[in-house]
Amino acid sequence: MKTFLKIAIGLILLVAILAAAGYAWASSATAQAFEQTVEVHDVDFPVPYPEAAPEAGPTADGEFATDGETGGTGNDVRAAAIQRGEHLVHARYGCADCHGENLGGGVMMDAMPMGRFLGPNLTGGAGSVVTGYGTADWDRAVRHGVAPDGRRLMMPAADFQRMSDQELSDIVAHIGSLPPVDNEVTAVALGPIGKMLVARGIWQFSADRIGDHDSPHVARPPTATASVEFGRHLAATCVGCHKQDYTGGDIGGDPNWAPAANLTAAGSLSQWTLEEFVRLMREGVRPDGSEVLEPMTFVMPAAQRMTDLELEAMYLFLRSLPARETAAS
Ligand code: HEC
Ligand code: HEC
């Protein structure tokens, strides 16, 4: 009995020591990971973007204003850019889902012991993180996942890497037009599980997934039509979870998350109609009536504000993908 107790206590101590050592290792490895910096090219683009663009924000009937509906004066150009930017921020790129409806701060994920990932204040008020941002800084943060000082962000910027200069310019114009919100947002904080995932390289930084930080970006988005080409541009925001080849699989974030679905012809989407796809995107319900799981549900608020045309183009693109099996992770 005594021996048994001694062994039991010894084992408990051993486990405690190992856990403490593991946590200490993960903490220091994570701290180091956050200090590493990444070099990103310096780009410049005008804000607002010049001349009437081939597409503008959605009009009252949910479709896009066409070329020529914006006049030629400087004010018109700015107003059109701000209007397009509003749609990009709330629908196409979902910035507001994490940075808040008024972009004054929001929640990406608040899940200790994973971590607390709050979207910082992007407006000009107290607590703003974009004071002093130039166009190169916007490019670095949004399309490369790198802060102005070179550190890697936790924001899923891999989803924005194919954003065009015009779209980023429109977003900057829109954000610049917003009323300043005073809101100091707590910086990203990782819990023990989050630290373990970062330390072991399971949670990958977007900057590392993107890899290429030198190639020029595309100037303008494709024309907004029900086409595979436009759909490919829109579906570039899905790769952070569904992978570059849309075969899905393990996402590498919260261990409770469902693996991302295979969106190629090898997955069940290949059997769905456009209406069924739209229902899943906006309401989170599959054709068989089952509800879609986290984190796909995070995409719904933005999808609800996408136009019918955008969803149709995305459907056409996804349906054009040849069958590919999900890689084992
Ligand atoms: C899924 C959530 C999410 C989405 C969507 C998102 N962000 Fe972020 N963003 C964050 C979080 C969290 C941070 C905090 C810093 C970090 O990532 O480590 C951040 C940081 C930033 C920063 C500040 C970087 C710095 O200097 O510290 C900028 C600028 C930014 N986001 C802009 C945008 C824009 C523009 C969009 C839309 C195109 C967007 N974000 C979409 C979560 C998100
Ligand atoms: C934050 C991660 C994430 C992002 C971003 C994301 N998805 Fe998903 N998606 C998932 C996960 C996880 C599932 C599986 C959910 C489940 O099993 O219920 C899923 C499921 C789906 C399904 C259901 C397919 C099926 O066979 O059941 C479709 C369709 C889909 N996603 C489309 C998209 C599109 C289009 C985008 C980009 C606009 C996108 N997703 C962005 C994580 C994501």
Side-chain angles (χ1 to χ4, degrees):
M1 182 63 185
K2 260 190 161 171
T3 346
F4 169 75
L5 255 183
K6 271 187 193 158
I7 295 176
I9 291 172
L11 276 178
I12 291 171
L13 275 176
L14 186 66
V15 168
I17 290 167
L18 283 179
Y23 181 69
W25 168 76
S27 291
S28 82
T30 308
Q32 275 173 24
F34 276 104
E35 274 161 25
Q36 267 179 49
T37 58
V38 174
E39 284 277 335
V40 178
H41 61 186
D42 269 316
V43 300
D44 198 12
F45 49 80
V47 181
Y49 219 71
E51 48 184 286
E55 59 156 348
T59 54
D61 60 7
E63 295 309 329
F64 286 92
T66 49
D67 209 357
E69 288 186 33
T70 48
T73 73
N75 281 345
D76 287 346
V77 170
R78 182 170 290 278
I82 291 172
Q83 196 203 347
R84 288 191 305 263
E86 178 173 24
H87 180 68
L88 299 175
V89 158
H90 291 283
R92 198 179 290 180
Y93 293 105
C95 319
D97 292 347
C98 299
H99 291 279
E101 248 328 272
N102 59 10
L103 299 185
V107 182
M108 167 166 143
M109 194 164 96
D110 190 355
M112 280 298 178
M114 253 310 275
R116 184 168 297 127
F117 305 84
L118 303 183
N121 183 352
L122 301 181
T123 72
S128 170
V129 289
V130 297
T131 318
Y133 254 55
T135 47
D137 300 312
W138 281 104
D139 168 56
R140 218 170 268 130
V142 177
R143 295 190 293 198
H144 299 270
V146 176
D149 65 5
R151 283 176 308 105
R152 296 169 295 175
L153 299 169
M154 297 300 281
M155 168 164 86
D159 287 345
F160 313 137
Q161 60 179 307
R162 306 240 300 270
M163 182 188 286
S164 63
D165 285 344
Q166 183 197 307
E167 287 167 300
L168 184 52
S169 171
D170 290 346
I171 288 174
V172 174
H174 176 68
I175 290 176
S177 78
L178 292 173
V181 177
D182 295 335
N183 185 22
E184 305 273 351
V185 178
T186 321
V188 166
L190 286 174
I193 296 185
K195 284 184 178 168
M196 213 49 142
L197 292 173
V198 169
R200 299 188 51 199
I202 296 173
W203 183 304
Q204 262 197 310
F205 288 93
S206 265
D208 299 337
R209 288 194 186 198
I210 293 167
D212 177 1
H213 298 292
D214 288 318
S215 298
H217 299 275
V218 29
R220 289 181 190 276
T223 317
T225 53
S227 66
V228 169
E229 194 203 357
F230 184 48
R232 176 181 292 114
H233 179 72
L234 300 174
T237 62
C238 322
V239 303
C241 294
H242 287 280
K243 308 283 159 71
Q244 291 290 346
D245 61 2
Y246 299 95
T247 55
D250 187 38
I251 298 173
D254 190 326
N256 294 321
W257 284 351
N262 187 332
L263 302 180
T264 74
S268 47
L269 176 64
S270 60
Q271 312 296 321
W272 301 3
T273 64
L274 170 62
E275 290 67 32
E276 288 169 336
F277 170 73
V278 170
R279 181 160 181 237
L280 180 112
M281 296 299 290
R282 290 187 176 149
E283 296 166 35
V285 179
R286 288 198 186 75
D288 67 5
S290 63
E291 284 189 16
V292 83
L293 302 172
E294 269 191 21
M296 183 58 201
T297 44
F298 301 171
V299 181
M300 284 161 50
Q304 282 159 6
R305 294 166 87 155
M306 293 183 90
T307 64
D308 292 346
L309 179 75
E310 284 173 320
L311 288 173
E312 185 179 354
M314 206 142 57
Y315 173 79
L316 291 174
F317 164 68
L318 294 172
R319 289 296 298 267
S320 77
L321 295 171
R324 282 189 73 171
E325 293 306 322
T326 307
S329 54

